[in-house]
Amino acid sequence: MNWEKNVRRVVPYTPGEQPGRQDIIKLNTNENPYPPAPGVLEAVRQIRPEEYRLYPDPDAVSLRQSLASYHGVKTEQVFVGVGSDDVLAMSFLTYFQSGKPILFPDITYSFYDVWAQLYRIPYRTKPLQADFTINPADYFCENGGVIFPNPNAPTGVLESLDTVEAIVKANQDVVVIVDEAYIDFGGVSALPLLKQYENLMIVRTFSKSRSMAGMRIGYALAGEKLLSYLHDAKFSFNSYTMNLPSLRAGVAAIADEAYFQQHIRKVIDTRERTKEELRRLGFSFADSKSNFIFAAHAHVPAEKLFAALKESGIYVRYFRKPGIDNYLRISIGTDEEMRALLAFLKDYIK
Ligand SMILES: *Cc1c(COP(=O)(O)O)cnc(C)c1O
């Protein structure tokens, strides 16, 4: 019986562990340690029972409108999805159809090669430089599309707008996707480039900077024409991707800019203090502009530290992958959580 021969086989992405326990200090999946804006909870509470009975708006107009006015673009320039993973997966399916290899960095978000394999898209990775930055010239060659996060994950390194533009400019025959999952933590967005480049797509998420990983909201910003193709692919797949609570919660989150700014500031301040302390303990890392720090210790192997931290109830992320297997990716938690982490490390390392 040969049916298995005819089955699509994939090696799935492995997300960070979500322990059921409450007593864990959870610094392993770059979630925000603070709750979402109070209006988010209120918006979900106010949904009337009869609204649950109906299908949600397949065009997600209210959320797209609020994102459009927030970013100063047209509603047609916003596409929303079930987390940015949904937007990205749909984009791989839609935009990377040339049969030529798409390009992305060798050290990057580990979902990219999974989607490429799922959709049978050929790909080539380009090595990051020793300081974990991208060499834009690596992307000045024939290809089927380009994708990279800015800041990059899991390094936290931010590329300048000049680097991003150089890559977009050199690749106007293909779609270039800039995954800005962490841009709110101090990065410079490629948003102004949308006016000039029809081939650029920017992807954002509510999961990190807006404390809403549980609601699954992501979106893309791009030219109207580019997004029309993504729209058609989505409506050939599943029209009702966005559920009603997520749509309402998303609008409410965007409405509270003061809360957003205040809590971003807190994460950034904690990150900068944590950098100083980690340096004092003998860690080194590239400068992070995200809500995590990707750090290696001078003497203690990362895998050993990872296991010891886990044993003591502190979860961080470790990637057993050549080139980065001596690094820990540590998400920025509250000041109290970071104090507990640093206290453990201080004690363990001495
Ligand atoms: C977290 C993350 C995403 C996915 O976020 P969603 O929760 O699916 O919105 C996408 N890209 C990068 C680089 C990420 O780190």
Side-chain angles (χ1 to χ4, degrees):
M1 300 308 111
N2 257 336
W3 61 267
E4 269 186 299
K5 207 177 66 197
N6 303 316
V7 166
R8 184 180 294 256
R9 294 180 186 217
V10 285
V11 181
Y13 172 76
T14 317
E17 204 174 331
Q18 295 290 0
R21 290 164 51 192
Q22 292 290 306
D23 57 343
I24 295 290
I25 295 183
K26 198 173 171 305
L27 308 175
N28 67 334
T29 50
N30 298 342
E31 287 142 332
N32 198 304
Y34 302 108
V40 169
L41 286 87
E42 190 48 36
V44 173
R45 229 176 270 130
Q46 281 182 4
I47 297 172
R48 288 172 284 117
E50 59 270 29
E51 291 183 287
Y52 278 94
R53 200 172 55 74
L54 304 172
Y55 280 109
D57 171 15
D59 290 309
V61 172
S62 58
L63 179 56
R64 287 170 54 230
Q65 269 172 351
S66 90
L67 286 165
S69 87
Y70 184 77
H71 290 297
V73 299
K74 293 196 279 182
T75 305
E76 291 74 22
Q77 292 184 269
V78 182
F79 176 92
V80 295
V82 185
S84 52
D85 285 342
D86 179 43
V87 177
L88 289 164
M90 196 76 65
S91 301
F92 270 61
L93 175 69
T94 308
Y95 299 125
F96 297 154
Q97 281 292 310
S98 70
K100 292 175 200 162
I102 62 165
L103 308 178
F104 49 84
D106 62 341
I107 298 166
T108 195
Y109 188 36
S110 42
F111 228 136
Y112 298 160
D113 57 351
V114 173
W115 286 315
Q117 282 161 31
L118 172 66
Y119 293 124
R120 310 287 189 255
I121 298 164
Y123 66 95
R124 257 203 324 258
T125 59
K126 296 289 182 177
L128 292 179
Q129 303 178 103
D131 62 356
F132 286 151
T133 58
I134 286 174
N135 177 6
D138 286 343
Y139 298 81
F140 300 169
C141 56
E142 199 178 2
N143 64 68
V146 177
I147 180 163
F148 58 93
N150 195 34
N152 199 3
T155 64
V157 171
L158 179 76
E159 298 294 342
S160 70
L161 195 54
D162 285 343
T163 295
V164 175
E165 179 165 15
I167 292 171
V168 176
K169 193 173 180 174
N171 287 285
Q172 296 186 59
D173 288 336
V174 295
V175 175
V176 177
I177 302 176
V178 183
D179 180 352
E180 293 190 341
Y182 301 101
I183 200 73
D184 294 322
F185 300 103
V188 180
S189 174
L191 196 63
L193 300 180
L194 285 183
K195 282 202 184 70
Q196 259 166 288
Y197 300 99
E198 274 198 327
N199 62 317
L200 169 64
M201 182 166 92
I202 294 167
V203 177
R204 298 275 188 98
T205 178
F206 282 51
S207 297
K208 280 82 184 224
S209 58
R210 294 191 185 272
S211 307
M212 290 165 71
M215 294 307 276
R216 312 305 301 128
I217 307 173
Y219 60 103
L221 302 167
E224 214 171 310
K225 191 163 160 199
L226 193 84
L227 286 191
S228 72
Y229 292 108
L230 193 59
H231 171 274
D232 292 350
K234 175 221 148 107
F235 278 83
S236 312
F237 194 83
N238 176 0
S239 343
Y240 302 110
T241 50
M242 302 299 288
N243 67 61
L244 180 66
S246 292
L247 291 173
R248 294 286 166 83
V251 171
I254 296 296
D256 198 342
E257 180 66 8
Y259 182 94
F260 177 64
Q261 292 298 341
Q262 191 189 335
H263 287 82
I264 288 287
R265 193 69 250 163
K266 281 174 83 155
V267 172
I268 292 175
D269 289 346
T270 304
R271 177 187 73 204
E272 295 307 310
R273 279 195 293 272
T274 305
K275 283 179 187 171
E276 280 172 38
E277 297 291 330
L278 286 174
R279 231 174 256 128
R280 224 168 275 152
L281 291 174
F283 284 92
S284 58
F285 41 86
D287 192 35
S288 167
K289 292 285 186 217
S290 62
N291 67 338
F292 56 86
I293 299 170
F294 195 54
H297 193 265
H299 315 298
V300 190
E303 190 162 17
K304 206 172 146 207
L305 272 176
F306 170 75
L309 281 163
K310 188 165 179 182
E311 182 73 28
S312 81
I314 302 173
Y315 284 29
V316 298
R317 192 89 197 258
Y318 174 70
F319 300 93
R320 197 173 287 101
K321 188 186 159 169
I324 55 169
D325 58 2
N326 201 31
Y327 284 83
L328 295 177
R329 192 195 67 189
I330 304 165
S331 307
I332 302 301
T334 61
D335 281 323
E336 195 190 348
E337 288 172 322
M338 300 322 272
R339 267 197 297 276
L341 168 87
L342 292 162
F344 177 88
L345 289 174
K346 193 170 176 182
D347 190 55
Y348 187 81
I349 286 163
K350 83 168 190 324

Coordinates of all heavy atoms in Angstrom, one line a residue, residues 30 82-86 88 109 112 149 153 179 181-182 204-208 213 216-218, ligand 1:
N30 N 9.4 35.7 23.4 CA 9.3 37.2 23.1 C 7.9 37.8 23.2 O 7.5 38.7 22.5 CB 9.8 37.4 21.6 CG 11.3 37.0 21.4 OD1 12.0 36.9 22.4 ND2 11.7 36.9 20.2
V82 N -4.3 36.1 10.7 CA -4.3 35.4 12.0 C -2.8 35.4 12.5 O -2.2 34.3 12.4 CB -4.9 34.0 11.9 CG1 -5.1 33.4 13.3 CG2 -6.3 34.2 11.2
G83 N -2.4 36.5 13.0 CA -1.0 36.6 13.4 C -0.2 36.9 12.1 O -0.7 36.6 11.0
S84 N 1.1 37.4 12.2 CA 1.8 37.6 11.0 C 2.3 36.3 10.4 O 2.6 36.3 9.2 CB 3.0 38.6 11.3 OG 3.8 38.1 12.3
D85 N 2.3 35.2 11.1 CA 2.6 33.9 10.5 C 1.6 33.6 9.4 O 2.0 33.1 8.4 CB 2.6 32.8 11.6 CG 3.8 32.9 12.5 OD1 4.8 33.5 12.2 OD2 3.7 32.3 13.6
D86 N 0.4 33.9 9.6 CA -0.7 33.7 8.6 C -0.4 34.6 7.4 O -0.5 34.1 6.2 CB -2.0 34.0 9.2 CG -3.2 33.8 8.3 OD1 -3.2 32.8 7.5 OD2 -4.1 34.6 8.3
L88 N 2.4 35.9 6.5 CA 3.7 35.5 5.8 C 3.5 34.2 5.0 O 3.9 34.1 3.9 CB 4.8 35.3 6.9 CG 5.3 36.6 7.5 CD1 6.1 36.3 8.8 CD2 6.2 37.4 6.5
Y109 N 14.5 34.1 11.2 CA 13.3 33.5 11.7 C 13.2 32.1 11.1 O 13.1 31.9 9.9 CB 12.1 34.3 11.3 CG 10.8 33.9 11.9 CD1 10.7 33.4 13.2 CD2 9.6 34.1 11.2 CE1 9.4 33.1 13.8 CE2 8.3 33.8 11.7 CZ 8.3 33.2 13.0 OH 7.1 32.9 13.6
Y112 N 10.9 30.6 7.9 CA 11.0 30.9 6.5 C 11.3 29.7 5.7 O 10.7 29.4 4.6 CB 12.0 32.0 6.2 CG 11.7 33.4 6.8 CD1 12.8 34.3 7.0 CD2 10.4 33.7 7.2 CE1 12.5 35.5 7.6 CE2 10.2 35.0 7.8 CZ 11.3 35.9 7.9 OH 11.0 37.1 8.5
P149 N 13.7 39.7 8.4 CA 13.1 40.5 9.5 C 14.0 41.7 9.8 O 15.2 41.6 9.7 CB 13.1 39.5 10.7 CG 13.7 38.2 10.2 CD 14.4 38.5 9.0
A153 N 15.6 38.3 13.7 CA 15.4 37.4 14.8 C 16.3 36.2 14.4 O 16.3 35.8 13.3 CB 14.0 37.0 14.9
D179 N 9.9 41.8 7.4 CA 9.2 41.4 8.5 C 9.5 42.2 9.7 O 10.5 42.0 10.4 CB 9.5 39.9 8.7 CG 8.8 39.2 9.9 OD1 8.1 40.0 10.6 OD2 8.9 38.0 10.0
A181 N 8.3 42.5 12.8 CA 7.7 42.0 14.0 C 8.2 42.8 15.3 O 7.4 42.9 16.2 CB 8.0 40.5 14.2
Y182 N 9.4 43.3 15.2 CA 10.0 43.9 16.4 C 10.3 45.4 16.2 O 11.0 46.0 17.0 CB 11.3 43.2 16.8 CG 11.1 41.7 17.1 CD1 11.4 40.7 16.2 CD2 10.5 41.3 18.3 CE1 11.1 39.4 16.4 CE2 10.2 40.0 18.6 CZ 10.5 39.0 17.7 OH 10.3 37.7 17.9
R204 N 3.7 43.3 10.0 CA 3.7 43.6 11.4 C 2.9 42.7 12.2 O 2.0 42.0 11.7 CB 3.2 45.1 11.6 CG 3.9 46.2 10.9 CD 5.0 46.6 11.7 NE 5.7 47.8 11.2 CZ 5.4 49.1 11.6 NH1 4.5 49.3 12.5 NH2 6.1 50.1 11.1
T205 N 3.0 42.7 13.5 CA 2.2 41.9 14.4 C 1.8 42.6 15.7 O 2.5 43.5 16.1 CB 3.0 40.6 14.8 OG1 2.2 39.8 15.7 CG2 4.3 40.9 15.4
F206 N 0.7 42.2 16.2 CA 0.2 42.7 17.5 C 0.8 41.8 18.7 O 0.5 42.0 19.8 CB -1.3 42.6 17.6 CG -2.0 43.7 16.9 CD1 -1.8 44.0 15.6 CD2 -3.0 44.5 17.6 CE1 -2.4 45.1 14.9 CE2 -3.7 45.5 16.9 CZ -3.4 45.8 15.6
S207 N 1.5 40.7 18.3 CA 1.9 39.7 19.3 C 3.0 40.2 20.3 O 3.0 39.8 21.4 CB 2.5 38.5 18.6 OG 1.5 37.9 17.8
K208 N 3.9 41.1 19.8 CA 5.0 41.5 20.7 C 4.8 42.8 21.3 O 4.5 42.9 22.5 CB 6.3 41.4 19.9 CG 6.9 40.0 19.7 CD 6.3 39.2 18.6 CE 6.8 37.8 18.5 NZ 7.1 37.4 17.2
A213 N -0.3 38.3 21.8 CA 0.0 37.1 21.0 C -1.1 36.1 21.1 O -1.4 35.4 20.1 CB 1.3 36.5 21.7
R216 N -3.8 36.6 18.1 CA -3.4 36.3 16.7 C -3.8 37.4 15.7 O -4.8 37.2 14.9 CB -4.0 34.9 16.3 CG -3.8 33.8 17.3 CD -2.4 33.5 17.7 NE -1.5 33.2 16.5 CZ -0.4 33.9 16.3 NH1 0.0 34.9 17.1 NH2 0.3 33.6 15.3
I217 N -3.2 38.5 15.8 CA -3.4 39.5 14.8 C -2.1 40.0 14.2 O -1.1 40.3 14.9 CB -4.0 40.8 15.4 CG1 -5.3 40.4 16.2 CG2 -4.4 41.8 14.3 CD1 -5.9 41.6 17.0
G218 N -2.0 39.9 12.8 CA -0.8 40.4 12.1 C -1.3 41.1 10.9 O -2.5 41.0 10.5
Ligands
LIG1 C1 7.0 36.4 16.4 C2 7.4 36.6 15.0 C3 6.5 36.4 14.0 C4 5.1 35.9 14.2 O1 4.3 36.6 14.9 P1 2.7 36.3 15.0 O2 2.5 36.0 16.5 O3 2.4 35.1 14.1 O4 2.1 37.6 14.6 C5 6.9 36.7 12.7 N1 8.1 37.0 12.4 C6 9.1 37.1 13.3 C7 10.5 37.5 12.9 C8 8.7 36.9 14.6 O5 9.7 36.9 15.6

